[in-house]
Amino acid sequence: MSRLAPLVVAALLAAAPASAQDRAAEIDEIFSFATPATPGCAVGVSRHGKVVVNRAYGLATVERGAPLSASSTFDIGSTQKQFVAAAILLLVEDGRLALSDDIRKHFPELPDYGHAVTVDHLLTHTGGLRDWTGLLPMAEEGAEALTVILRQRGLNFVPGEEWSYSNSGYVLLKEIVTRSSGMSFAEFARTRLFEPLGMTSSAYVPDITHAGPNAALGYQKDGAGWKPFMRLGNNRGGGAIVSSVGDLLIWNDALASEKLGKFVTGKLHERTRLSNGRTLKYARGLIVDHTPGGLVISHSGGAAGFSTWLGRVPEHALSVAVACNFDPVSATALAGRVADLYLPPAPQTAQAPADSDAAAAARIDVNVRAGLFFNERTGEPLRLIVNDGRLQVEGGRPLMTMAGDRFRAARGDLFFMSQDEFELYFPSPDRLELTSMEGLTTRYRRAQPYSPTAADLQALAGRYESDELGSVFEIVPATGGIVMRFERSPERAVDFVPVERDVFQFRRMLVRFQRDAAGTVVGFDYSNPVIRNIRVTRVGDLAAASRPATERPSSEPSSATPAAPSLEALTGFYEAQAGRGITIVVENGKLYGEPTGNPRRELVLQSGTTYTVVGTSSPMTVTFVLGADGRATEMVMRQGDGERRFPKVR
């Protein structure tokens, strides 16, 4: 489940003047990329509760050539969270549970975390639960999301102190509905939400293949054609809400008119407050964003080939729903373009403050500030990168340069550091202090370069086990690093490189080895952006038959960082959809990517075949997949926790 797409407020509010005229032709143009031979999208618009648009473009199923229609249903991904939250709030109103309940009241099998995690912490993503989307890839094959969640013995943070999007919390919430109501979540949603509101096309199902004859299947571009791309079975995290854009508009109208009652409606829209007093944009299953152009209430969703956005602008009584069934596409961006047709221009506002001295800032070499740092108290990593001449925290937005040693986050990002508008100060080149908007200072130190010897790596070799993941891993020395293998699935392997003594990294995954008083390695802590410090215990030596990492058969997939190929080997056209994509070119010894109809951007080598895209609003990388001849066959684009694949077609 992919984590929420960023809200495109500018696209929603900086709009063309509204008009009563028919917008059908303009909407047709927005969705003209979808043809009778490709997957596509459905779009719905309502004004003052009256549906003015309900149209569909493209195919529901490529194999049968069945077209999308106004009644097609989609896996709406995380857009379902508002329905889950409403179900919980109905049970609170019924007196079956309380927002203040410790979740151990409903899950006695959970451990004592040392801090109470409440039902409301789950609703607001402030409970600190490790996200199952980061747990399941490290668990044994076939593991179920709920089972893995209930096996966890630790939290990412003290409940209420931070905000971190947690799909795990909403898996537990659905189970709480079942345990508190005495009926399945599917039955509760049908009888208490969908049927009373007249949402006849909506249901909670195990996955999209159980959604009936009107279901749209999900796809991903595959060369000149399409291949199925859906979250099914265990990978769906317990189930999905499927719905049509018409039903989603009905839901939005129900929220606008308080058809669920004042208590449920009010709590759904009540914004989250952290224990330090900071108020966030996230409410309960909804983002409530107060912008210069007005209030926008929305949530997006993504599930493999499905992308959905549902939102409304109350001041203009406008609701928009977009659902698509192919990857890559952004329903959020498309919804913004649709809303542009109906909203008046946003009011003129003062420009965001520029750097304190733009000329001086241009002379500052921020490259000397970049690098990997560790929290001096917790060991949590923080990586600084340079993007288009601006310093940036990986995963966040570019920072404002205040001075050569001082930088500031101009505005908070909900999905990065709990929407903190922090400042960075470098008391020395290898130390930095991060001061939160509330004045709390956290100190970081720069990672110390480390080149392990063969003996150093051999000391890490062994078998390691995690009760929380239900997995046994083999750590095998490799050239300059280590390989982590799954003992029962040795073809699953990840190559880690050293970033300092006893600390190894692959992309944003981190392994930190632990030693006893005698210096013997006794285990390691595993972390990634949605999981902090799962303890994995060393249980023995490698089996004698265990193949060294240097002898892996050529057919085994490897995630080792490859050497950088020639730039010419990467050039070509990488297709996103028919006739549209990204052209990679080399000019004056530099690599550039040029999306169809948009300006080109420089690609700067990060490592191996991975390049940073210069000038994006949030960090973006592209990784080229090489064929046997050393030339690229595919490009993988990553931004935040999202990933899109573009096959090279020429």
Side-chain angles (χ1 to χ4, degrees):
M1 195 173 302
S2 60
R3 157 183 110 172
L4 285 160
L7 180 64
V8 187
V9 175
L12 285 172
L13 298 175
S19 169
Q21 72 184 62
D22 180 28
R23 298 296 194 184
E26 293 156 290
I27 290 177
D28 289 346
E29 175 61 27
I30 291 172
F31 292 91
S32 60
F33 58 81
T35 74
T38 71
C41 302
V43 55
V45 179
S46 70
R47 305 199 70 186
H48 301 284
K50 179 182 178 182
V51 176
V52 294
V53 174
N54 192 346
R55 302 172 74 84
Y57 308 84
L59 294 174
T61 56
V62 171
E63 296 81 2
R64 294 191 292 110
L68 287 167
S69 70
S71 59
S72 292
T73 57
F74 300 77
D75 180 340
I76 65 172
S78 284
T79 308
Q80 70 171 295
K81 285 183 168 59
Q82 57 201 288
F83 297 94
V84 177
I88 288 288
L89 292 169
L90 285 171
L91 287 169
V92 171
E93 193 171 42
D94 291 346
R96 300 285 189 95
L97 56 89
L99 292 177
S100 59
D101 282 351
D102 187 324
I103 61 173
R104 295 179 67 207
K105 175 180 178 180
H106 305 279
F107 297 100
E109 62 267 47
L110 283 174
D112 183 353
Y113 294 119
H115 304 274
V117 179
T118 68
V119 171
D120 207 31
H121 284 141
L122 302 187
L123 286 169
T124 57
H125 299 291
T126 57
L129 267 69
R130 296 164 174 162
D131 199 320
W132 72 261
T133 62
L135 293 168
L136 222 55
M138 302 302 292
E140 288 300 312
E141 291 184 1
E144 295 183 352
L146 179 60
T147 301
V148 174
I149 294 167
L150 293 176
R151 294 181 71 145
Q152 300 309 298
R153 295 295 178 263
L155 300 172
N156 284 340
F157 52 81
V158 175
E161 291 192 356
E162 300 181 38
W163 186 96
S164 182
Y165 193 74
S166 175
N167 294 293
S168 292
Y170 274 75
V171 170
L172 294 187
L173 287 168
K174 287 184 285 188
E175 182 66 14
I176 289 174
V177 170
T178 296
R179 297 187 182 191
S180 298
S181 69
M183 62 179 78
S184 68
F185 182 80
E187 182 70 5
F188 188 91
R190 181 180 67 82
T191 58
R192 297 293 301 274
L193 296 173
F194 302 145
E195 286 184 352
L197 295 175
M199 298 174 65
T200 58
S201 297
S202 301
Y204 181 74
V205 295
D207 59 51
I208 192 66
T209 62
H210 295 75
N214 290 327
L217 302 185
Y219 296 92
Q220 185 178 55
K221 201 75 178 74
D222 183 26
W226 299 89
K227 63 181 179 182
F229 188 36
M230 293 167 280
R231 289 192 179 274
L232 306 176
N234 290 342
N235 288 329
R236 194 58 194 83
I241 285 181
V242 297
S243 191
S244 65
V245 294
D247 270 13
L248 294 177
L249 293 178
I250 290 173
W251 174 259
N252 255 6
D253 181 58
L255 295 184
S257 57
E258 296 188 338
K259 289 182 180 178
L260 296 174
K262 289 187 178 297
F263 172 77
V264 173
T265 305
K267 287 296 182 182
L268 282 173
H269 294 85
E270 184 179 73
R271 296 199 297 167
T272 300
R273 184 181 294 271
L274 298 181
S275 55
N276 63 8
R278 187 187 308 166
T279 300
L280 307 178
K281 296 176 184 178
Y282 205 90
R284 295 179 177 89
L286 290 169
I287 290 179
V288 180
D289 195 7
H290 294 273
T291 75
L295 182 68
V296 179
I297 302 170
S298 70
H299 209 291
S300 64
F306 294 99
S307 178
T308 306
W309 191 89
L310 175 64
R312 57 194 174 94
V313 186
E315 182 182 350
H316 300 284
L318 175 72
S319 283
V320 176
V322 173
C324 304
N325 68 328
F326 70 96
D327 174 74
V329 69
S330 170
T332 301
L334 291 168
R337 294 176 62 189
V338 172
D340 284 353
L341 303 176
Y342 296 92
L343 291 170
Q348 294 296 317
T349 58
Q351 295 295 314
D355 284 356
S356 55
D357 183 346
R363 294 193 296 269
I364 293 172
D365 181 11
V366 296
N367 289 284
V368 300
R369 302 300 185 191
L372 178 65
F373 293 77
F374 290 110
N375 185 310
E376 292 184 350
R377 182 176 60 86
T378 67
E380 188 175 352
L382 181 147
R383 183 179 291 277
L384 295 175
I385 61 175
V386 177
N387 188 348
D388 198 21
R390 304 288 293 274
L391 194 65
Q392 181 172 322
V393 181
E394 186 176 40
R397 296 191 175 105
L399 302 174
M400 179 183 297
T401 305
M402 309 303 294
D405 59 359
R406 196 175 296 274
F407 303 82
R408 184 165 71 85
R411 57 193 178 98
D413 183 340
L414 176 63
F415 295 94
F416 183 72
M417 291 190 176
S418 309
Q419 207 174 309
D420 193 4
E421 297 177 3
F422 58 89
E423 287 195 5
L424 289 184
Y425 166 62
F426 290 83
S428 72
D430 294 333
R431 291 283 189 274
L432 71 83
E433 297 177 352
L434 187 153
T435 302
S436 73
M437 58 197 292
E438 292 81 23
L440 178 66
T441 297
T442 304
R443 293 176 173 81
Y444 292 79
R445 59 169 181 80
R446 188 181 294 273
Q448 299 301 306
Y450 174 59
S451 298
T453 66
D456 292 333
L457 296 175
Q458 190 60 44
L460 308 177
R463 297 174 62 249
Y464 295 77
E465 184 173 10
S466 167
D467 290 337
E468 292 177 281
L469 296 170
S471 295
V472 178
F473 304 98
E474 294 179 334
I475 297 296
V476 183
T479 303
I482 58 172
V483 175
M484 178 193 290
R485 292 181 182 149
F486 290 75
E487 186 174 71
R488 289 185 282 272
S489 304
E491 71 281 358
R492 298 169 64 192
V494 182
D495 294 20
F496 288 82
V497 297
V499 291
E500 68 173 20
R501 177 175 166 78
D502 286 343
V503 183
F504 293 75
Q505 187 175 45
F506 172 70
R507 293 179 183 163
R508 299 180 72 185
M509 299 161 58
L510 203 73
V511 166
R512 185 185 302 274
F513 286 91
Q514 304 295 332
R515 298 174 182 265
D516 62 16
T520 303
V521 174
V522 294
F524 64 80
D525 290 342
Y526 171 81
S527 301
N528 66 38
V530 294
I531 297 171
R532 298 183 193 172
N533 298 324
I534 288 186
R535 177 56 56 91
V536 185
T537 303
R538 191 175 189 276
V539 293
D541 296 330
L542 289 174
S546 180
R547 186 188 301 115
T550 54
E551 297 179 12
R552 281 182 294 180
S554 59
S555 59
E556 182 179 335
S558 171
S559 51
T561 303
S566 70
L567 296 183
E568 294 295 338
L570 309 179
T571 59
F573 181 72
Y574 298 77
E575 190 173 52
Q577 57 200 47
R580 298 182 67 84
I582 299 175
T583 302
I584 301 297
V585 298
V586 176
E587 189 174 290
N588 297 325
K590 294 183 177 181
L591 197 66
Y592 294 89
E594 184 173 336
T596 303
N598 289 284
R600 67 173 52 174
R601 293 184 183 275
E602 185 180 355
L603 307 182
V604 177
L605 180 64
Q606 188 178 94
S607 65
T609 61
T610 297
Y611 290 75
T612 298
V613 183
V614 174
T616 57
S617 58
S618 61
M620 179 185 293
T621 64
V622 294
T623 299
F624 294 92
V625 179
L626 305 183
D629 61 357
R631 299 192 65 83
T633 60
E634 185 180 35
M635 180 175 69
V636 183
M637 179 180 293
R638 297 183 177 90
Q639 190 168 29
D641 291 328
E643 178 179 293
R644 295 179 178 178
R645 293 181 175 268
F646 300 78
K648 182 177 175 180
V649 296
R650 62 177 182 271

